Amino acid sequence: MAPDSDRDKNSTPIAVDPRDPEFYQNPYPLYDLIHRGDQTFFWKNYDHWCFTGFKDVSSLLRDRRFGRQILHVATRDELGLPPPKPHVADFDQTEKHSLLALEPPEHTRLRGLVNRAFVSRHVEQLRPRIAQLANEMIDTFIASGDTDLIQNFAAPIPAIVIAEMIGLPAEMAPQLLKWSNRMVAMYMFGVTEATERDANQASIEFMDYLRSQITQHRRAPREDLLTHMLTAEIDGTRLNDDEVISTAILLLNAGHEATVHTTGNGVKSILESGIAPATLFASEAQVAATIEECLRFDAPLHMFTRYALADIEFGGRQFTKGETIGLMLGAANRDPKRFNQPNKFDPFRNDGGNVSFGAGIHFCIGAPLARIELQIAFSELFRRLPHLRLAEPPSYANVYHFHGLQRLDVAW
């Protein structure tokens, strides 16, 4: 929806192509520009308003007048939306029951059935396994003197951890990553039909695999999340197979994506900062603070969208029912009104905090697990490789929403 003259009088529309390498390699100069104004702007390329202020983003993440779902309160005809594309029907099926795409009461029911597996006291028990995996990965490349840290360290660890939690074989992790990467490509700006068809095929293969696993788990129940989703009840109801499959795919995709990006972005930030790694991992408290600064300084997700669920007002602007807004997580984390020297990587700052995991009912269900994975992986990496350094200038992948490195070539 294009801005009309009244709504646009306080903010100049901005045209920045999210596929422009100059932008997605470093979006922070744009954020700095926006922060010098009223921190809200109309992004012409996306055709919606965006919020960059930490206070606004934090508030909107919790504002129940905006939601991740819209077709539960309006029809496609009412909103002027095109019909679904037949060639992505299977991909759409994986999203139909996704926690990220639902609002209460469906969201409440699904999250309630899954949440207990991710509470802090449960994921704390995974610390020894995560440390074991981190060291096993390091063992595979330490003798070579160099490696691509994304492929050989950042990606495998969270993929194996979430697969094992769900109840899938660790050896399936590489295949799960391939399916996930093909599906996540759907969130690129200006996605092509070829990408859509490939993501749809990956969805078919992923769902077929999970159906076979559901059959096995029904025959032989186990102590894992998949069995729990198949057997647990809330108010006398259980998840159906489609709901279990959507939830498993979301957990697998989201359960590694942000952690991979934060590992790559965070190691890059540490190595470029010049701060001695030994000072960053000297205590549990400092390890935790370092990870939070990594999440703030170079966030793994830069935009999260919401629909206005009714005609409403926020921040002096009117939004019509069905209108999309963009919550700029990466920009909010660099808000100079919230952080002192926001463009400085400072793991010792006393004004920490971030919105990288979201907030409100859609706060990342895997945040406790991700934090533990990052704390252990970073600690083990810099303990084993104290002289780690960048071997090549890192570059970010062309997927603006998901802000992560293509490669991280390091040496020691």
Side-chain angles (χ1 to χ4, degrees):
M1 179 181 295
D4 58 40
S5 57
D6 289 336
R7 291 174 56 200
D8 190 38
K9 63 185 178 182
N10 294 322
S11 181
T12 302
I14 290 177
V16 174
D17 187 350
R19 297 163 299 188
D20 181 352
E22 186 176 353
F23 170 69
Y24 68 75
Q25 290 296 335
N26 184 12
Y28 297 108
L30 174 66
Y31 300 163
D32 289 341
L33 175 67
I34 303 303
H35 283 312
R36 289 197 286 270
D38 68 1
Q39 297 191 314
T40 304
F41 70 102
F42 190 88
W43 197 335
K44 293 176 68 174
N45 305 71
Y46 283 105
D47 201 31
H48 62 61
W49 288 92
C50 294
F51 294 82
T52 68
F54 189 93
K55 183 178 179 181
D56 281 347
V57 170
S58 297
S59 177
L60 286 164
L61 285 167
R62 296 171 171 85
D63 194 327
R64 297 291 292 274
R65 298 175 302 166
F66 294 86
R68 288 287 295 166
Q69 187 181 23
I70 190 60
L71 294 179
H72 65 308
V73 296
T75 66
R76 287 181 175 272
D77 287 343
E78 284 180 85
L79 300 171
L81 296 177
K85 298 176 180 179
H87 64 271
V88 292
D90 298 284
F91 176 85
D92 289 344
Q93 175 63 30
T94 69
E95 300 248 299
K96 184 177 179 181
H97 303 289
S98 168
L99 278 169
L100 277 182
L102 294 177
E103 292 297 306
E106 291 85 358
H107 176 273
T108 307
R109 171 173 162 264
L110 267 172
R111 186 161 180 134
L113 283 169
V114 177
N115 190 58
R116 80 174 191 186
F118 291 92
V119 295
S120 296
R121 66 179 179 275
H122 183 81
V123 296
E124 280 287 339
Q125 300 172 18
L126 297 175
R127 281 185 179 272
R129 176 58 174 151
I130 296 167
Q132 178 188 11
L133 285 171
N135 281 284
E136 286 178 356
M137 298 303 150
I138 295 169
D139 288 343
T140 65
F141 58 70
I142 191 168
S144 66
D146 59 70
T147 194
D148 170 13
L149 210 63
I150 300 298
Q151 180 178 346
N152 298 318
F153 185 76
I157 296 171
I160 292 172
V161 169
I162 194 65
E164 291 181 344
M165 281 187 70
I166 291 173
L168 308 178
E171 57 267 25
M172 275 298 295
Q175 180 58 64
L176 299 174
L177 282 172
K178 290 177 183 177
W179 284 327
S180 177
N181 291 335
R182 290 163 65 190
M183 294 175 69
V184 167
M186 283 287 282
Y187 303 111
M188 290 177 63
F189 179 80
V191 64
T192 65
E193 183 176 329
T195 297
E196 291 175 338
R197 291 185 179 277
D198 185 60
N200 198 69
Q201 182 60 37
S203 302
I204 292 172
E205 295 167 12
F206 210 156
M207 287 191 291
D208 285 347
Y209 173 71
L210 288 172
R211 287 191 186 97
S212 71
Q213 287 294 311
I214 287 172
T215 299
Q216 291 182 27
H217 279 66
R218 280 207 172 100
R219 288 175 184 161
R222 310 163 197 176
E223 291 293 326
D224 56 37
L225 185 52
L226 189 55
T227 298
H228 170 69
M229 288 193 289
L230 292 170
T231 58
E233 293 185 4
I234 287 186
D235 297 329
T237 65
R238 294 183 179 181
L239 299 183
N240 62 45
D241 285 5
D242 288 342
E243 290 173 324
V244 171
I245 288 170
S246 283
T247 304
I249 288 177
L250 171 66
L251 294 175
L252 285 160
N253 288 356
H256 81 274
E257 194 78 21
T259 308
V260 173
H261 295 335
T262 304
T263 302
N265 299 357
V267 171
K268 170 182 177 289
S269 298
I270 289 171
L271 296 181
E272 290 181 339
S273 73
I275 301 171
T279 66
L280 303 181
F281 304 100
S283 67
E284 288 186 11
Q286 187 56 58
V287 170
T290 297
I291 296 307
E292 294 307 305
E293 179 67 351
C294 289
L295 285 161
R296 182 202 71 83
F297 183 74
D298 204 13
L301 177 65
H302 274 225
M303 186 195 294
F304 207 41
T305 56
R306 290 284 196 276
Y307 293 106
L309 301 181
D311 293 344
I312 54 180
E313 181 272 336
F314 182 88
R317 290 186 172 82
Q318 299 296 320
F319 296 93
T320 60
K321 183 178 181 178
E323 189 170 353
T324 298
I325 60 170
L327 309 183
M328 310 291 287
L329 309 182
N333 286 342
R334 297 279 192 107
D335 183 355
K337 295 180 180 178
R338 170 63 176 78
F339 301 100
N340 182 43
Q341 293 185 286
N343 293 324
K344 178 183 179 182
F345 179 74
D346 181 8
F348 309 103
R349 64 172 60 247
N350 55 17
D351 60 351
N354 61 78
V355 289
S356 294
F357 287 122
I361 66 168
H362 289 289
F363 178 77
C364 176
I365 197 169
L369 173 61
R371 284 186 162 112
I372 287 174
E373 287 178 337
L374 292 163
Q375 291 167 13
I376 295 173
F378 277 58
S379 297
E380 294 302 309
L381 179 68
F382 283 100
R383 178 182 68 82
R384 297 281 304 275
L385 301 171
H387 303 296
L388 197 68
R389 67 181 189 279
L390 295 175
E392 298 288 343
S395 62
Y396 292 88
N398 179 15
V399 188
Y400 165 65
H401 285 197
F402 298 104
H403 184 66
L405 298 170
Q406 285 181 308
R407 299 175 56 89
L408 182 58
D409 292 301
V410 294
W412 50 90

